[in-house]
Amino acid sequence: MATVEHLSPLWDAFRKELAEVSTDEALTDLRDKYLSRSRGAVTVELKKLGQLSAEERPQAGKLLNELKLLVEQALAEKAGEIREKQKSARYQAERVDVTLPGYAYHTAGRHPIRRALEEMERIFVSMGFSIMSGPEVEVDYYNFEALNMPKGHPARDAQDTLYVTDNLVLRTHTSPVQIRTMEKQKPPVRIIAPGRVFRRDSVDATHSPMFHQIEGLVVDEGITLADLKGTIEMFLKAFFSEDTRIRLRPSYFPFVEPGAEVDVSCIFCRGTGCSICKQSGWIEIMGAGMVNPRVFQILGYDYEKYTGFAWGMGVDRIVMLKYQVEDLRLLFDNDIRFLSQF
Amino acid sequence: MNISYNWLQDFVDLKELGLDPALVAQALTSIGLAVEGIETQSNDYVFNIDVTSNRPDCLNHLGIAREISAHFCLNLRTPDVSDLPAHRPGTEFPSSVIIQDPDLCPQYAARIMTGVAVDESPAWLKEKLLAVGQRPINNIVDITNYVLLLLGHPLHAFDYEKLGENRIVVRRVAAGEKIVTLDGVERTLEAGMLAICDAAIPVALAGVMGGQDSEISLRTNTILLESAYFNPKSIRATSKSLALRTEASYRFERGADPEMPVKALNLACRLINQIAGGQTVGPVINENPVPASRLVLDLREKRIRQVVGVDVEPGFVTDILTRLQFEILNQPDRAWKVRVPGFRVDIGHEDDLVEEVARHFGYDKIPSTYPAPTSAGRFLPAQPHEQLLLQRLLGFGFYEAVNYVFSTPAREKLFFPEPVSMVAIANPLTEEDTHLRTSLVPGLVASVRRNLNHGTDEIRLFEFGHVFLPVDGAGSDRLQEESRLGIIATGTFYRPYWGQAQDEFRFFHLKGIVEELLAGLGYRAVFERTEDYRFLHHGVASRVLVDRRPIGVIGQLSPELNETFKFLQRVFVAEVAVDNLFSRPLPEPQYSPLPRFPGTERDLSFVVDKSLEYDRITAAIKSLNVANLRDVQLIDLYQGQKLPFGKVSLAVRLTFADLTRTLTQEEVNKSVDVISDLLKREFQAEQRA
Ligand SMILES: [Zn+2]
């Protein structure tokens, strides 16, 4: 008889057995025991319904169907629990020590000088400058003569030169590239010339017979010393930081007139004075000036129509300054302990 | 240049106006006379001023005082340089000056003084000299030095009695003439050098240094005092050629004031009279075959604006030029016609005057403006190529090296067969920089050596740089400068590491890198065994070719070099000429539709002679033009105890695919059979299971 009293022990027995189940197999067995078509305990009760009278049947049927639903629900819940347990057991088994070191991939870095050059080039290109290059062994004419430094000019002394022949030198600056460009191109000219340059110097902590320079040149109608100031300032702010200030002092380079030495506010003390800037708050960073009309004359430019400015700076010194490298020789030793720091 | 603060007060009032040394230094720096330091002395301050080579007029106290007076609008007191009348008639000590080479000596002034008591200088004079670092010698020499430091004009005093025939001849010397200079060195002169001579022999190197024989001594009674103007180029050439640089030569070669000789002479004579009791004999002897002329220039207001970018008050321009002792001849419409003073050898063009105005106007008062670009900035055409290779090399773990471009034949001949043709430096400073490199390899090998010395044994470096190849032999003005990429590697490929098999860096690692770099540029590299390179192991060396042209070389460093450099591990190098490779634009990516049907892979193992080059096998397979064969990959190579001597077993993976359909097994089998038959026929390959 499918009454509450009759079905309660069946439900209690099921619950008890279900509590014992912990594997998929046991769960299948339990399902069969209660719900299998042929001999499941609940199925058997359902089959007995036919023996009941018409009055009893609806009530008993309802109870039995409720029980079947409860059993199915409980089995499904249990199946979920088992899956969860299995998943976490698998995670446990496949766990790795995430603190073990990662595989040894090995990427390298650029040479600090070339890296600085690359950054400078990028800034200048963004300011509309095009990059130009030229040979490292240069004709005397381009290195000196055309830059208003004829033979016997005292300024040649300041740049002790390595000669290949009387007519060929290891370029002492990248200025020859400016001349070569102006020979080929009419204004407007807006270029930079990065590259290696050479001096007759022996190697020590602060001297090198080879170093790197980046020079710039702007020629057009209406270019002024004020433009030089603004352009250099824009570059130095981008390269160092936005709060960088600059100072121009009159100076002399044969290929410019008026000429200037450019100081930048000390990148370490921001201009308040420290040991690196010798308490001055300023660091000398480049030479600059308005292109000397004598240079324009040599090139056949009309200096009444066109004016221009040029500047040049040493990259190695800036790298040493920026990273506080105490010995210039480290830049050309290719010591991986050094290179891997950049 | 050392400049004494106290001395400057002889010409300008500084203390009285509160212009302390710090303020003066700041002002000097702001007008282009960079004060590098201020030395504090017991009762003076000394400025160390970096005077640029175009401003010899500032290599003395009066010149600096003039700049200060202009900057602060101070009155400038100048010393008395007027003529000193003759105390005694010239007949007592006759003399004469003959200038034989007026092109090198346009003016030579001299004066005889007698009754000179050579002695110690008075305290005030010694003090002035000592303050700026000049050692006092005797009153006569000290006075010439004093005038030099005051006016900037070098003088020289001769012992009158020691001059042959008591006279002066200024002339170019003949080769081989000799002089013992004041520093005690006997110097043999070159033809064409300018000397001050007596009737017979050189007694001084004009404008450079006096001679010992005619030097002032304590017994000297009569002197001949020289004050001349010499051609800067001639002085410079002599000073350079004799490697003798003096205070005098330093000023003459930059350009002395051509109007100064007689003035400086007068000042010196006056002092000698006061201090050493010397009496002038006769008038100033003044030979001046080529009188100095002053330049006249126009300065236009609009040019100032055009160059500097600001409007400067015309009154300021007039004032500053006047204070700097430019003579304003007249002021036509918005312009100035000025006569340049003799001491301003740097002024020769209107823009030089613009600079005078600008530097006293103050560079700090010039605004910052930015000229807008008229076109986009461009990198060099080869920069994207270099950038691509660079990124890949860094990714492969190679550090970027920068080596000197210098080399020596001794170093280069370790690597290349003799005679090594190199570009020589005419004036090398050291024994390491006598020539220019012809290859990047020696520098990279030296870098490896240095790294090993420091205990780094896993080394991967690359360098982009120029090499220099002579074209017509030594001494020629022609040479070829070539851009190359050098790569070097040694040590472990994978370090000992958990979960990862350790591996040494091998030839095929480097070859793979070179192939990958060239592929990035759109080239398929071909490798060809070579024994032509002395620096490479002849069993592990290959030329690198693209488009059938050799572009470089790759291999293992030779055992001989390993011994020379004491390398205990194998070192692999590659060097590639990049100019041509970079001249073609980088390949544009080419899209092709993705295959919709999966490909089929088949592995084929076979044994062939070890001497057979793998490239021949792939070439032969390629020549078959097997339909749908997409790729041939070497997946295994074995030689050893399982094989007969001289044999090698290869396994290749063949990939077949068709864009439009899935291939049938039969088709693929047929293709594999064709390939297998070919290998058997051409190379006697025995197929393995
Ligand atoms: Zn600082």
Side-chain angles (χ1 to χ4, degrees):
Chain A
M1 205 28 204
T3 63
V4 172
E5 294 73 29
H6 177 69
L7 293 179
S8 275
L10 188 59
W11 172 243
D12 289 340
F14 170 76
R15 284 201 300 158
K16 205 171 156 206
E17 283 182 79
L18 185 68
E20 303 292 310
V21 166
S22 64
T23 65
D24 281 334
E25 293 75 29
L27 192 66
T28 309
D29 290 349
L30 191 66
R31 171 185 296 273
D32 284 351
K33 185 169 176 187
Y34 286 88
L35 297 178
S36 95
R37 279 175 189 282
S38 51
R39 46 180 185 79
V42 179
T43 324
V44 169
E45 290 298 327
L46 277 167
K47 278 180 182 163
K48 285 184 189 162
L49 278 177
Q51 302 165 3
L52 296 182
S53 67
E55 297 85 59
E56 286 168 325
R57 209 179 294 155
Q59 176 62 17
K62 193 177 157 234
L63 281 171
L64 264 173
N65 274 318
E66 252 173 51
L67 179 67
K68 189 184 172 198
L69 219 69
L70 271 173
V71 169
E72 278 173 348
Q73 215 175 349
L75 285 170
E77 263 171 41
K78 191 69 179 184
E81 272 171 40
I82 290 168
R83 268 200 308 276
E84 272 311 306
K85 257 188 210 149
Q86 281 170 341
K87 219 157 68 181
S88 80
R90 185 171 166 193
Y91 288 164
Q92 280 296 318
E94 294 178 8
R95 197 179 72 179
V96 299
D97 176 0
V98 296
T99 69
L100 282 172
Y103 278 180
Y105 292 103
H106 194 86
T107 53
R110 289 212 79 173
H111 190 281
I113 292 174
R114 308 259 297 177
R115 179 191 152 111
L117 269 170
E118 186 183 322
E119 195 185 341
M120 291 173 184
E121 288 173 12
R122 223 177 32 236
I123 295 169
F124 278 120
V125 167
S126 80
M127 290 167 67
F129 285 79
S130 289
I131 302 176
M132 294 288 164
S133 67
E136 290 170 7
V137 173
E138 191 47 279
V139 181
D140 185 279
Y141 173 79
Y142 288 111
N143 196 76
F144 291 123
E145 298 268 343
L147 290 157
N148 193 31
M149 280 186 276
K151 286 208 161 70
H153 194 286
R156 285 198 180 201
D157 269 357
Q159 317 189 343
D160 228 342
T161 310
L162 287 166
Y163 283 87
V164 172
T165 65
D166 282 345
N167 188 37
L168 283 183
V169 302
L170 268 72
R171 67 177 177 190
T172 57
H173 40 203
T174 57
S175 317
V177 179
Q178 301 184 13
I179 302 296
R180 286 173 175 274
T181 304
M182 284 192 279
E183 273 187 351
K184 274 185 245 134
Q185 191 182 330
K186 290 290 144 208
V189 173
R190 199 176 171 102
I191 59 150
I192 55 165
R196 291 181 186 195
V197 298
F198 307 88
R199 297 281 161 89
R200 193 166 178 269
D201 242 331
S202 48
V203 180
D204 67 25
T206 54
H207 295 88
S208 167
M210 179 179 97
F211 53 103
H212 297 74
Q213 253 192 358
I214 190 162
E215 294 199 354
L217 172 73
V218 174
V219 181
D220 203 350
E221 288 179 47
I223 295 294
T224 66
L225 193 56
D227 290 333
L228 162 67
K229 234 178 139 173
T231 305
I232 297 289
E233 197 167 62
M234 185 179 283
F235 162 72
L236 290 171
K237 278 173 187 285
F239 185 74
F240 290 114
S241 65
E242 270 310 308
D243 60 355
T244 300
R245 288 166 294 120
I246 67 161
R247 176 176 84 169
L248 263 64
R249 288 180 285 113
S251 189
Y252 170 68
F253 307 97
F255 35 96
V256 291
E257 187 75 24
E261 199 80 61
V262 181
D263 297 336
V264 69
S265 53
C266 178
I267 55 173
F268 295 98
C269 63
R270 305 255 162 246
T272 55
C274 67
S275 62
I276 289 153
C277 59
K278 294 187 194 116
Q279 308 307 329
S280 72
W282 296 100
I283 290 171
E284 199 176 305
I285 202 110
M286 62 170 85
M290 299 301 291
V291 178
N292 196 316
R294 294 169 183 91
V295 173
F296 280 161
Q297 257 168 335
I298 293 168
L299 287 162
Y301 273 32
D302 178 359
Y303 66 78
E304 286 290 347
K305 187 173 177 194
Y306 298 112
T307 46
F309 63 79
W311 77 90
M313 65 178 165
V315 181
D316 314 46
R317 237 193 89 241
I318 293 174
V319 167
M320 289 182 73
L321 194 73
K322 191 167 172 179
Y323 301 108
Q324 288 296 288
V325 177
E326 69 290 353
D327 193 328
L328 186 59
R329 284 170 289 203
L330 281 169
L331 296 175
F332 304 111
D333 251 1
N334 304 317
D335 184 338
I336 289 176
R337 297 172 307 166
F338 174 77
L339 294 176
S340 59
Q341 295 180 36
F342 296 93
Chain B
M1 175 75 202
N2 287 337
I3 294 290
S4 147
Y5 178 72
N6 286 349
W7 199 341
L8 287 175
Q9 309 232 47
D10 290 354
F11 315 109
V12 279
D13 295 326
L14 299 174
K15 268 184 201 151
E16 294 79 352
L17 295 167
L19 296 170
D20 61 39
L23 275 174
V24 171
Q26 206 176 29
L28 286 171
T29 299
S30 79
I31 56 175
L33 295 158
V35 176
E36 312 248 280
I38 307 175
E39 187 200 335
T40 308
Q41 297 184 351
S42 56
N43 57 353
D44 199 357
Y45 298 91
V46 174
F47 304 110
N48 175 17
I49 303 179
D50 180 17
V51 178
T52 51
S53 67
N54 61 327
R55 293 299 304 274
D57 63 299
C58 285
L59 293 170
N60 60 76
H61 284 76
L62 185 62
I64 297 289
R66 181 165 46 233
E67 289 285 335
I68 293 172
S69 79
H71 187 75
F72 290 114
C73 301
L74 307 177
N75 287 326
L76 182 70
R77 287 184 292 275
T78 50
D80 182 5
V81 293
S82 63
D83 186 37
L84 190 65
H87 297 114
R88 302 163 75 147
T91 46
E92 276 185 46
F93 295 93
S95 185
S96 71
V97 169
I98 295 168
I99 301 175
Q100 285 187 357
D101 293 295
D103 57 327
L104 301 190
C105 177
Q107 184 175 16
Y108 194 103
R111 200 157 200 192
I112 314 294
M113 293 189 86
T114 192
V116 171
V118 180
D119 201 350
E120 220 179 293
S121 291
W124 70 265
L125 178 53
K126 284 200 277 189
E127 204 174 291
K128 273 203 156 72
L129 296 179
L130 281 168
V132 295
Q134 177 73 54
R135 190 171 54 91
I137 296 164
N138 61 51
N139 50 9
I140 304 303
V141 175
D142 291 353
I143 287 167
T144 60
N145 282 333
Y146 173 80
V147 172
L148 174 86
L149 294 167
L150 197 165
L151 296 174
H153 202 84
L155 305 174
H156 184 67
F158 295 97
D159 188 329
Y160 173 83
E161 303 294 347
K162 305 265 175 71
L163 296 173
E165 298 180 19
N166 310 115
R167 63 193 185 92
I168 294 289
V169 178
V170 186
R171 61 172 171 86
R172 285 182 165 93
V173 297
E177 287 194 74
K178 286 184 177 139
I179 184 174
V180 179
T181 41
L182 281 174
D183 53 4
V185 179
E186 188 188 61
R187 296 172 191 276
T188 306
L189 306 180
E190 290 161 29
M193 287 179 170
L194 188 71
I196 312 302
C197 307
D198 61 12
I201 57 163
V203 291
L205 278 171
V208 181
M209 192 180 265
Q212 211 170 44
D213 291 345
S214 56
E215 191 186 359
I216 302 294
S217 72
L218 291 172
R219 290 184 300 279
T220 301
N221 183 55
T222 305
I223 62 167
L224 183 145
L225 196 58
E226 161 200 299
S227 184
Y229 178 85
F230 300 111
N231 177 301
K233 279 187 179 157
S234 156
I235 300 299
R236 186 178 148 80
T238 302
S239 156
K240 229 183 158 174
S241 156
L242 296 173
L244 182 63
R245 171 172 277 185
T246 61
E247 293 286 337
S249 72
Y250 190 70
R251 285 166 176 82
F252 278 126
E253 71 173 42
R254 278 164 173 67
D257 179 357
E259 297 171 11
M260 192 53 83
V262 174
K263 292 181 199 167
L265 188 62
N266 289 343
L267 177 63
C269 290
R270 189 164 274 116
L271 287 166
I272 290 170
N273 178 248
Q274 284 165 12
I275 291 168
Q279 293 195 306
T280 49
V281 180
V284 170
I285 305 167
N286 185 8
E287 285 302 311
N288 192 3
V290 189
S293 62
R294 284 186 170 194
L295 198 62
V296 174
L297 291 173
D298 288 322
L299 173 63
R300 293 160 299 162
E301 221 179 293
K302 72 165 190 195
R303 184 65 181 173
I304 299 175
R305 192 179 325 110
Q306 187 185 12
V307 173
V308 184
V310 288
D311 287 312
V312 179
E313 273 290 305
F316 176 82
V317 177
T318 305
D319 187 52
I320 208 69
L321 291 176
T322 309
R323 288 185 178 279
L324 290 171
Q325 295 174 358
F326 289 86
E327 190 186 340
I328 297 178
L329 299 175
N330 58 56
Q331 270 176 269
D333 189 32
R334 297 192 165 271
W336 294 262
K337 190 172 273 298
V338 302
R339 185 172 278 153
V340 180
F343 52 82
R344 289 306 298 270
V345 296
D346 60 316
I347 307 287
H349 188 277
E350 184 180 17
D351 284 8
D352 300 329
L353 294 171
V354 171
E355 182 179 55
E356 292 307 291
V357 173
R359 71 188 174 92
H360 281 280
F361 174 79
Y363 280 13
D364 54 339
K365 287 196 214 117
I366 298 169
S368 291
T369 53
Y370 177 66
T374 51
S375 64
R378 286 185 313 273
F379 286 96
L380 289 166
Q383 267 181 303
H385 304 68
E386 190 179 307
Q387 200 53 236
L388 182 133
L389 299 195
L390 185 90
Q391 292 307 334
R392 291 192 177 190
L393 282 159
L394 296 178
F396 293 136
F398 284 75
Y399 284 99
E400 187 177 28
V402 175
N403 274 302
Y404 288 109
V405 298
F406 308 109
S407 188
T408 58
R411 177 164 94 163
E412 221 86 349
K413 80 178 184 196
L414 293 172
F415 291 81
F416 306 103
E418 287 180 84
V420 188
S421 180
M422 295 175 81
V423 174
I425 291 175
N427 59 337
L429 188 59
T430 67
E431 283 172 12
E432 285 89 56
D433 62 4
T434 57
H435 290 70
L436 298 179
R437 63 185 176 189
T438 63
S439 161
L440 302 181
V441 173
L444 287 169
V445 168
S447 299
V448 164
R449 183 63 264 168
R450 278 196 301 276
N451 273 288
L452 288 168
N453 292 347
H454 298 314
T456 310
D457 55 6
E458 183 187 305
I459 303 158
R460 290 181 214 177
L461 294 168
F462 72 95
E463 179 177 10
F464 281 106
H466 290 190
V467 300
F468 305 84
L469 310 169
V471 173
D472 297 327
S476 156
D477 271 357
R478 289 182 61 212
L479 59 88
Q480 191 194 339
E481 202 171 318
E482 196 177 281
S483 295
R484 291 198 186 162
L485 165 63
I487 312 177
I488 197 159
T490 185
T492 49
F493 187 74
Y494 291 125
R495 280 176 252 196
Y497 208 73
W498 76 279
Q500 195 167 267
Q502 186 182 345
D503 196 0
E504 290 302 304
F505 198 100
R506 286 178 286 116
F507 172 80
F508 292 101
H509 288 132
L510 187 56
K511 179 179 173 183
I513 286 166
V514 168
E515 284 176 316
E516 190 60 12
L517 295 178
L518 292 170
L521 300 177
Y523 295 101
R524 209 183 75 80
V526 172
F527 293 77
E528 227 175 57
R529 212 174 72 81
T530 177
E531 296 186 358
D532 289 353
Y533 293 88
R534 180 162 163 191
F535 68 96
L536 293 177
H537 186 303
H538 284 181
V540 194
S542 168
R543 270 181 225 289
V544 185
L545 299 94
V546 298
D547 300 337
R548 296 215 171 79
R549 277 176 322 182
I551 54 139
V553 65
I554 176 175
Q556 180 185 333
L557 204 66
S558 73
E560 292 77 22
L561 280 172
N562 259 29
E563 208 165 290
T564 307
F565 285 92
K566 301 195 167 61
F567 292 152
L568 301 175
Q569 54 196 66
R570 290 185 297 170
V571 176
F572 298 94
V573 288
E575 188 177 37
V576 172
V578 296
D579 288 323
N580 276 325
L581 295 178
F582 289 0
S583 64
R584 193 170 86 182
L586 282 178
E588 275 292 315
Q590 297 274 322
Y591 165 75
S592 52
L594 304 179
R596 285 157 56 215
F597 302 92
T600 308
E601 285 177 353
R602 287 297 169 80
D603 293 350
L604 195 59
S605 292
F606 49 93
V607 175
V608 287
D609 282 347
K610 198 185 155 187
S611 60
L612 177 63
E613 283 190 324
Y614 180 71
D615 259 5
R616 286 189 57 207
I617 298 173
T618 47
I621 295 174
K622 211 173 179 186
S623 71
L624 284 175
N625 285 320
V626 177
N628 298 320
L629 178 64
R630 299 277 168 229
D631 192 25
V632 180
Q633 248 186 341
L634 183 68
I635 55 170
D636 192 35
L637 182 150
Y638 171 81
Q639 45 190 331
Q641 41 115 2
K642 290 182 194 158
L643 293 174
F645 184 72
K647 295 282 182 184
V648 64
S649 159
L650 303 175
V652 295
R653 177 159 296 166
L654 307 166
T655 307
F656 299 90
D658 189 304
L659 273 180
T660 57
R661 63 197 175 89
T662 306
L663 297 170
T664 65
Q665 290 299 313
E666 292 72 42
E667 281 177 294
V668 174
N669 290 345
K670 231 172 92 189
S671 294
V672 173
D673 286 347
V674 169
I675 293 167
S676 175
D677 286 347
L678 167 93
L679 296 177
K680 204 173 291 172
R681 200 171 59 240
E682 289 278 313
F683 309 118
Q684 292 75 50
E686 291 168 46
Q687 200 169 330
R688 302 179 83 209

